[in-house]
Amino acid sequence: MIAPWQITRAADRLRGGGVVAFPTETVYGLGANAFDLDAIAKVFQLKGRPRFDPLIVHVEDVDRVPQLVGYFSEQAQRLARAFWPGSLSMVLPKHRRVPDLVTAGLPTVAVRVPDHNLARQLIEQAATAIAAPSANRFGGVSPTTADHVRAEFGERIDLVLDGGPCHRGVESTVISLVDQPTLLRPGGIAVEAIEQVLGPLAIAAPSNDSRSLPSPGMLRRHYAPRTPMRLVDVVDPGLRQRPELRVGLLLFVPRRDQDLDGFAAVEVLSSRADLAEAAANLFAALRRLDAASLDSIIAERVPDQGLGRAINDRLMRGSVV
Ligand code: TXA
Ligand code: MG
């Protein structure tokens, strides 16, 4: 449990220009005052993140959004009513007071109200908007526990607020509302749920050329373990052909033991074929496999619906070479 004084101390750090890692319902964020250029520069530097990849700005309440955006359209407000607080980030025209460093020079800003009491109390006490990418080194697997954050950064960050494991487990869904509503990243709110509110979304395609991307973070390879990973439709025992190699398996649901003979490590995302449970377990399972000295990981695709789209997206981008 986090004591109130710990939140106060973290908020003080943020106000004083520090960088604080904090839990949200999706993943842990590496937070800094969105209006403090030095603090934001520290976030980019710690993550090893290229300056062309903009940050999501977090506020504790939808009332604060007009301070960040130039235009809060009716459509965006409808989404906010339906999904905030929650795992949805909206890309909107930015207010000129939002620093270019935060938005990587784009005329837009991504905003989100996280569905996590500790996060919202922290932002409220810091009395400013908090820019926060996921608290991992650029391109790697996002952290869903405080230990994951410490494993990424050690002593190099001022403070990690430990709120336990993140219950959603995949990052927010990112939607652009600048022109027609466009899905930039599937995530913790199902695309189907958003389409029920807005109608069909356009879908932006990932690319490896950062200049042609609708969202700079859409590079194909991302969310990747260090161990080479391969994504398959169905795991069958024949996939493990060379007995001298240590191969790990990432499964959606449990299966019979004899099918798994010969694999060096096996992770199961959900005991009951539940995509929300699978999402909550995804990054911790990937990190355990990555720490198991494997030659390779074989990951099985999950059903491509609801949160399954976010899981498959991360697995696909984590397995691009
Ligand atoms: O769940 C989440 O979204 C977590 C927690 C901490 O809130 N944050 C997170 O941040 O995943 P990050 O930086 O790892 O991913 C943000 C994504 C990137 O793909 C980035 O390119 C995109 O959002 N993004 C941010 N601002 C944007 C903008 N103005 N236009 C288009 N894409 C933007
Ligand atoms: Mg990230």
Side-chain angles (χ1 to χ4, degrees):
M1 266 302 282
I2 291 282
W5 67 265
Q6 291 173 293
I7 303 178
T8 307
R9 185 181 59 170
D12 286 347
R13 291 285 171 90
L14 288 170
R15 269 203 309 273
V19 172
V20 169
F22 65 99
T24 78
E25 83 282 17
T26 58
V27 301
Y28 275 72
L30 195 59
N33 178 351
F35 299 98
D36 182 332
L37 292 179
D38 291 336
I40 298 297
K42 250 189 269 177
V43 169
F44 277 94
Q45 201 224 338
L46 279 163
K47 268 194 73 104
R49 183 181 182 115
R51 293 280 177 103
F52 64 72
D53 195 357
L55 308 181
I56 296 172
V57 179
H58 300 68
V59 288
E60 81 278 17
D61 192 278
V62 61
D63 289 352
R64 303 247 293 181
V65 169
Q67 299 167 11
L68 300 170
V69 306
Y71 178 55
F72 196 18
S73 65
E74 169 49 37
Q75 211 174 30
Q77 293 188 46
R78 237 191 306 148
L79 279 189
R81 280 194 297 275
F83 299 110
W84 279 351
S87 314
L88 173 72
S89 296
M90 288 192 238
V91 173
L92 297 166
K94 94 174 181 76
H95 195 289
R96 55 189 145 65
R97 70 162 70 90
V98 177
D100 286 334
L101 186 57
V102 170
T103 65
L106 295 174
T108 58
V109 60
V111 290
R112 160 165 128 81
V113 181
D115 185 14
H116 196 291
N117 280 338
L118 217 161
R120 297 224 306 285
Q121 283 170 42
L122 175 68
I123 301 165
E124 190 178 4
Q125 287 192 33
T128 181
I130 300 297
S134 53
N136 54 279
R137 302 272 307 163
F138 181 70
V141 177
S142 294
T144 53
T145 68
D147 280 345
H148 294 165
V149 180
R150 291 186 199 105
E152 294 274 341
F153 298 108
E155 301 301 305
R156 282 175 302 147
I157 48 180
D158 297 341
L159 203 154
V160 182
L161 263 188
D162 187 346
C166 304
H167 68 256
R168 185 70 71 190
V170 288
E171 303 85 350
S172 60
T173 305
V174 183
I175 303 278
S176 170
L177 295 167
V178 175
D179 294 315
Q180 59 165 327
T182 303
L183 175 69
L184 300 182
R185 174 176 77 179
I189 299 282
V191 173
E192 295 90 330
I194 297 169
E195 289 187 326
Q196 271 179 12
V197 177
L198 281 194
L201 295 174
I203 300 202
S207 153
N208 268 343
D209 177 1
S210 63
R211 285 159 309 184
S212 68
L213 288 175
S215 173
M218 287 183 63
L219 295 175
R220 253 186 224 285
R221 180 174 169 78
H222 211 110
Y223 310 100
R226 289 180 306 272
T227 314
M229 182 162 77
R230 186 149 66 100
L231 183 58
V232 301
D233 286 332
V234 187
V235 167
D236 69 79
L239 280 172
R240 213 193 131 271
Q241 284 151 352
R242 292 173 55 190
E244 72 278 16
L245 295 184
R246 284 174 54 79
V247 179
L249 262 191
L250 184 68
L251 298 174
F252 175 41
V253 288
R255 49 196 293 165
R256 282 173 304 137
D257 283 349
Q258 69 259 38
D259 290 351
L260 309 176
D261 284 351
F263 287 99
V266 179
E267 291 284 344
V268 177
L269 292 179
S270 172
S271 53
R272 48 191 155 89
D274 176 53
L275 288 165
E277 183 188 24
N281 289 327
L282 176 67
F283 290 142
L286 272 178
R287 278 171 183 270
R288 282 191 297 270
L289 289 172
D290 215 10
S293 314
L294 301 168
D295 294 297
S296 67
I297 299 169
I298 296 175
E300 191 175 51
R301 223 181 282 277
V302 306
D304 206 40
Q305 65 199 40
L307 291 190
R309 285 173 71 164
I311 298 173
N312 286 336
D313 171 78
R314 305 309 185 264
L315 290 176
M316 185 193 57
R317 289 158 66 179
S319 52
V320 168
V321 284

